[in-house]
């Protein structure tokens, strides 16, 4: 099923590809006002446009970011795939990074390095995101009639205030707004 491209709110412009995107936008704005600059050269403008689009798709969080892949030529090490599969399968149980690394077949240090390089995040942040996605899906369908607190606790969110803030940052809405949306 295809969904429209939806960018998530909250861009950290200070690091990663988002910082590169910001620099390119600043450069582009300067060039647009300059005579005989990039704007007047179709080949240079097309190349710059490709770069900006690539930075937007790779550096700004959206609903297709996982499908794009990361790293050189989109190749992701097996360590990352195995770790993500393990985290998906065990999102509702207590997980230590040592266990994730063992399931992936590498050390914790290697796991951290490959996640930072190929996913631009830490393994712990990836686990947090997976758990948020699981809560979101469960709240949308709400087949069990569970409360928001029950669902969030099932996935390890023990502080309601922090959970609610993280949920809103990730999905742009409150958990109560999601609750039972697909079951109505």
């Amino acid at each position: 099923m295809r969904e429209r491209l939806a960018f998530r709110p909250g861009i950290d412009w200070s690091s990663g590809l988002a910082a590169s995107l910001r620099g390119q936008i600043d450069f582009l704005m300067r060039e647009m006002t300059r005579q005989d600059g990039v704007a007047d050269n179709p080949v240079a403008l097309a190349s710059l446009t490709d770069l900006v689009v690539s930075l937007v798709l790779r550096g700004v969080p959206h609903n297709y970011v996982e499908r794009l892949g990361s790293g050189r030529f989109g190749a992701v090490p097996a360590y990352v795939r195995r770790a993500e599969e393990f985290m998906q399968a065990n999102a509702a149980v207590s997980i230590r990074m040592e266990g994730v690394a063992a399931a992936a077949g590498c050390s914790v240090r290697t796991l951290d390095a490959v996640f930072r390089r190929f996913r631009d995040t830490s393994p712990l942040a990836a686990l947090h995101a997976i758990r948020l996605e699981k809560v979101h899906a469960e709240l949308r369908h709400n087949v069990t009639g569970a409360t928001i607190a029950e669902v969030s606790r099932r996935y390890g969110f023990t502080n309601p205030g922090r959970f609610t803030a993280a949920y809103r940052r990730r999905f742009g809405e409150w958990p109560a707004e999601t609750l039972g949306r697909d079951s109505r």
Side-chain angles (χ1 to χ4, degrees):
M1 179 175 144
R2 288 187 181 171
E3 297 175 35
R4 289 174 28 176
L5 181 63
F7 289 96
R8 296 195 177 105
I11 301 169
D12 177 8
W13 294 102
S14 65
S15 63
L17 292 178
S20 299
L21 173 61
R22 183 176 183 178
Q24 292 304 314
I25 291 170
D26 291 344
F27 170 76
L28 184 58
M29 296 306 291
R30 285 191 308 273
E31 284 295 306
M32 292 306 223
T33 61
R34 207 167 68 81
Q35 288 286 347
D36 299 328
V38 169
D40 292 332
N41 184 319
V43 174
L45 186 58
S47 295
L48 185 58
T49 302
D50 288 346
L51 173 62
V52 169
V53 169
S54 179
L55 288 171
V56 166
L57 292 175
R58 299 277 182 180
V60 178
H62 55 80
N63 57 329
Y64 282 99
V65 76
E66 290 83 19
R67 294 184 195 176
L68 283 177
S70 295
R72 191 160 286 177
F73 309 112
V76 177
Y79 297 141
V80 173
R81 288 192 311 276
R82 288 192 299 257
E84 289 171 335
E85 289 168 4
F86 179 81
M87 289 188 281
Q88 286 281 350
N90 295 283
V93 297
S94 180
I95 299 175
R96 295 182 51 90
M97 283 304 117
E98 290 82 3
V100 176
C106 63
S107 69
V108 173
R109 188 174 182 174
T110 298
L111 185 68
D112 189 64
V114 295
F115 262 82
R116 289 187 189 281
R117 178 167 181 215
F118 291 93
R119 293 293 190 238
D120 199 26
T121 191
S122 70
L124 192 58
L127 176 60
H128 186 262
I130 287 168
R131 287 177 167 164
L132 280 173
E133 291 289 341
K134 297 272 189 183
V135 170
H136 184 257
E138 204 166 311
L139 290 178
R140 281 182 66 190
H141 302 295
N142 198 25
V143 294
T144 64
T147 66
I148 294 167
E150 290 168 337
V151 174
S152 63
R153 272 194 308 270
R154 184 176 311 128
Y155 290 99
F157 297 101
T158 57
N159 183 311
R162 284 190 198 147
F163 161 71
T164 301
Y167 190 95
R168 178 134 171 98
R169 258 192 322 275
R170 177 90 177 174
F171 302 108
E173 64 183 11
W174 302 109
E177 294 175 277
T178 306
L179 188 60
R181 178 177 297 136
D182 287 357
S183 63
R184 292 181 202 156

